Amino acid sequence: MKPTRSILILLSAGLLGSAAAETIRLKDGTKLEGKILKEDTESYVVDVQVTRSIREEKTIKKADVAGVDREQLDEKAFLAIKGLVPTPDLLTAADYDARLAKVREFVQTYPTSPQVKAAKEISATLEKERESVNQGGVKLGGHLITDEERSSNKFDVDARMIEVSIRSLAKDLRWAAALREFEKLEKEYQTSAAYKEVLPFVKDVIRHYRSEASEAASTYDARFKKQQTGLELQKAEDRAASASAIADRDAQIKAQYDAEKKASVKWITANPYLKVSLDEAVKYADQELKRLDAVKLDTLPDGGKAWREAWTAVHAGGDLKSSNSLISAARTAKLPDRYVKELEAAAKEAGGK
């Protein structure tokens, strides 16, 4: 049994889905979107989209055509990979692999495209960065830091990575998540350069967090009353379904709040449907702003410098007494215990040799 013409047209539509499309502009002002299947000296045979699922072939005289605009699929596809560089900070090797796969797909799909050269340059950049990351490097502040550079400046680099996370979350308006990251930064990296530089930014994040919670709290009673009025205006069967959905929503919100309290989360999720979370968010924000305003940055030791000096002394093969003195200074500069232990282990190994 031979397929009917309509089936052939539908099959054609599927096959042509990824092909370049043309816009045929007729002299009467009509525009036809489709694919030119055949062309001779007098006419075009065009596969035209009739509906979302149906296409048909039309023969159009060239005398009736004002012009043909051809879509370049390679140009469109290149736009999708053009933004893969410059890369953002903190990409993993797996992230680079995913980006490289997209570039390779473009080159394989459009091998004759004028954009292939640019695509290969993008690929080369990604390959170079991936290799550095694979060897223990990291990209921060738009710059690649090699494994050796990262090791010698480990305390400040680790702090910078948390700072990048804070700024990224805040950019997405995820205030509570950003402030939880800051809590980590302050706990272990208060003597880092990143802490000192990000502190004013974090205060602004707290103000945004507080402002949203305060505004939601001020309108809570009115919103609750409006919700109740809306329920009362519904039919009985609709009212029961809506009330059940609201109860489920409120139960989930309360469960999240309880879980955060149990986990001792300080920057709780300020939910507009849970009054207690809003009041608590405003109160804690005020408390933290007051505390952070009192922080005297100029009195904090330079933890990054302390790490660098101790690390250099240990790895330069200096005398053990000098190394131990600088490790002691790193401890005084409030480096977390794991950093001090790493220095001590390196010093012990160097001394043993």
Side-chain angles (χ1 to χ4, degrees):
M1 179 178 177
K2 293 183 177 180
T4 64
R5 184 172 184 276
S6 60
I7 293 176
L8 287 173
I9 291 173
L10 289 173
L11 287 172
S12 172
L15 291 172
L16 291 167
S18 62
E22 286 90 16
T23 299
I24 296 91
R25 293 179 283 106
L26 303 184
K27 291 179 179 179
D28 64 3
T30 303
K31 290 184 179 181
L32 300 174
E33 301 288 339
K35 169 67 180 173
I36 297 176
L37 302 177
K38 289 187 290 185
E39 177 184 355
D40 56 33
T41 56
E42 295 185 355
S43 63
Y44 296 106
V45 177
V46 185
D47 179 84
V48 180
Q49 189 84 46
V50 179
T51 68
R52 289 185 63 183
S53 59
I54 299 175
R55 306 174 78 101
E56 70 175 32
E57 293 180 11
K58 286 188 176 183
T59 300
I60 303 170
K61 294 181 179 179
K62 286 190 173 181
D64 297 330
V65 175
V68 177
D69 300 323
R70 300 179 186 272
E71 179 187 22
Q72 301 298 323
L73 286 185
D74 64 320
E75 294 289 341
K76 186 176 180 181
F78 181 72
L79 289 176
I81 66 168
K82 186 178 180 181
L84 295 178
V85 292
T87 57
D89 291 343
L90 303 181
L91 289 186
T92 64
D95 294 329
Y96 280 104
D97 286 339
R99 288 172 179 247
L100 282 164
K102 293 178 181 178
V103 180
R104 289 167 186 152
E105 182 182 5
F106 172 84
V107 174
Q108 291 171 0
T109 305
Y110 307 103
T112 61
S113 170
Q115 300 295 351
V116 165
K117 181 180 178 182
K120 288 182 177 179
E121 290 173 354
I122 292 172
S123 182
T125 298
L126 294 173
E127 288 278 9
K128 180 180 178 182
E129 292 188 12
R130 184 196 180 285
E131 181 63 21
S132 178
V133 169
N134 221 23
Q135 293 177 359
V138 65
K139 189 171 185 180
L140 274 178
H143 301 286
L144 274 173
I145 300 173
T146 66
D147 180 48
E148 184 177 355
E149 292 168 337
R150 183 177 181 178
S151 297
S152 63
N153 202 31
K154 185 174 184 178
F155 182 71
D156 270 341
V157 169
D158 289 351
R160 289 288 182 197
M161 292 172 71
I162 300 178
E163 179 195 357
V164 168
S165 179
I166 292 170
R167 293 184 185 276
S168 176
L169 290 166
K171 185 178 180 181
D172 293 336
L173 309 185
R174 297 174 60 190
W175 311 124
L179 293 170
R180 290 169 194 167
E181 285 293 289
F182 173 71
E183 193 175 6
K184 297 178 190 176
L185 182 71
E186 186 171 46
K187 182 180 180 180
E188 294 201 322
Y189 301 96
Q190 191 179 32
T191 60
S192 68
Y195 175 82
K196 297 172 184 177
E197 291 174 20
V198 83
L199 187 58
F201 176 80
V202 167
K203 290 179 184 178
D204 283 338
V205 173
I206 295 175
R207 293 184 187 101
H208 284 295
Y209 171 83
R210 186 198 184 285
S211 177
E212 288 189 2
S214 178
E215 183 177 354
S218 68
T219 61
Y220 181 85
D221 291 338
R223 287 185 289 108
F224 180 78
K225 184 177 180 180
K226 184 178 180 180
Q227 177 179 277
Q228 293 303 112
T229 301
L231 285 173
E232 292 169 4
L233 293 175
Q234 291 182 354
K235 295 178 181 179
E237 59 271 23
D238 294 335
R239 187 185 310 127
S242 297
S244 177
I246 291 171
D248 288 343
R249 178 202 68 192
D250 291 346
Q252 291 176 12
I253 293 170
K254 183 62 164 58
Q256 180 188 28
Y257 173 79
D258 290 341
E260 290 182 359
K261 294 296 291 180
K262 186 177 180 179
S264 299
V265 174
K266 295 179 180 178
W267 294 105
I268 62 169
T269 303
N271 196 292
Y273 295 103
L274 187 63
K275 185 70 158 54
V276 65
S277 73
L278 300 173
D279 293 339
E280 188 170 330
V282 171
K283 181 179 178 180
Y284 190 65
D286 287 340
Q287 175 185 320
E288 284 298 282
L289 281 172
K290 184 177 180 180
R291 182 183 68 82
L292 293 175
D293 282 341
V295 173
K296 298 185 183 301
L297 296 177
D298 56 350
T299 66
L300 294 175
D302 189 339
K305 179 182 178 183
W307 168 271
R308 286 188 295 274
E309 290 180 345
W311 188 92
T312 300
V314 167
H315 290 82
D319 65 278
L320 191 58
K321 184 178 179 180
S322 175
S323 295
N324 286 337
S325 175
L326 289 169
I327 292 171
S328 180
R331 186 182 290 106
T332 303
K334 299 181 180 179
L335 267 67
D337 192 51
R338 66 180 183 278
Y339 288 91
V340 177
K341 285 183 176 179
E342 183 177 336
L343 291 169
E344 287 175 339
K348 185 176 180 181
E349 183 181 354
K353 289 178 181 178

